[in-house]
């Protein structure tokens, strides 16, 4: 079905869970494409401000979204940032911000490709 080799997402588990319904899977990926950027922006702002409680909330929320689209590497990084924010005292995630931004951008690009291209008549 999907001949494109994604590096940062894996749509297959969600597609399988949806009984192979490509349209439903594309809809879920579309929801990610619409919702995740705002959550990421809030997370980025919280990281820059070193607001641990907000970092914890936003990383947890975004982690759930990235897991849905099979973005394992980004999900793992968000989990690590969430754990850092819960430490006593909380550890700043600022040193990981460039890595986080790059992974989020890569995942977002692949999600948009999936929404725009997969299952669409050519």
């Amino acid at each position: 079905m999907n001949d494109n080799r994604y590096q940062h997402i894996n749509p297959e588990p969600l597609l399988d869970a949806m009984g192979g319904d490509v349209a439903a899977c594309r809809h879920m990926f579309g929801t990610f494409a619409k919702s995740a950027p705002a959550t990421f922006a809030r997370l980025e702002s919280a990281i820059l401000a070193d607001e641990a409680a907000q970092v914890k909330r936003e990383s947890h929320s975004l982690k759930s979204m990235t897991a849905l689209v099979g973005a394992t590497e980004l999900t793992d990084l968000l989990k690590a940032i969430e754990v850092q924010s819960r430490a006593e005292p909380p550890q700043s995630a600022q040193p990981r911000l460039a890595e986080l931004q790059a992974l989020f951008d890569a995942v977002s690009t692949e999600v948009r490709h999936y929404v725009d291209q997969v299952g669409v008549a050519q």
Side-chain angles (χ1 to χ4, degrees):
M1 159 86 53
N2 179 11
D3 58 277
N4 187 40
R5 300 280 184 219
Y6 294 109
Q7 295 179 0
H8 300 285
I9 65 171
N10 181 4
E12 297 307 318
L14 181 60
L15 187 59
D16 290 346
M18 297 185 131
D21 186 340
V22 174
C25 192
R26 283 180 61 227
H27 176 76
M28 295 300 289
F29 274 60
T31 299
F32 175 93
K34 291 175 189 167
S35 302
T39 304
F40 182 83
R42 289 190 303 271
L43 174 59
E44 183 178 37
S45 293
I47 289 171
L48 290 170
D50 261 341
E51 295 176 0
Q54 186 73 16
V55 169
K56 182 181 78 167
R57 280 190 300 276
E58 300 301 341
S59 60
H60 181 79
S61 178
L62 190 56
K63 180 182 69 174
S64 299
M65 292 183 218
T66 60
L68 181 72
V69 298
T72 306
E73 186 178 1
L74 180 54
T75 301
D76 290 346
L77 178 56
L78 289 163
K79 182 177 182 178
I81 289 171
E82 182 182 4
V83 168
Q84 285 179 325
S85 71
R86 292 180 179 187
E88 290 297 330
Q91 298 171 5
S92 177
Q94 287 180 4
R96 305 201 79 181
L97 190 53
E99 176 187 12
L100 182 64
Q101 177 71 56
L103 274 173
F104 182 77
D105 290 347
V107 166
S108 294
T109 297
E110 289 185 7
V111 165
R112 281 190 302 275
H113 177 272
Y114 188 85
V115 170
D116 293 342
Q117 302 297 319
V118 175
V120 177
Q122 305 272 332

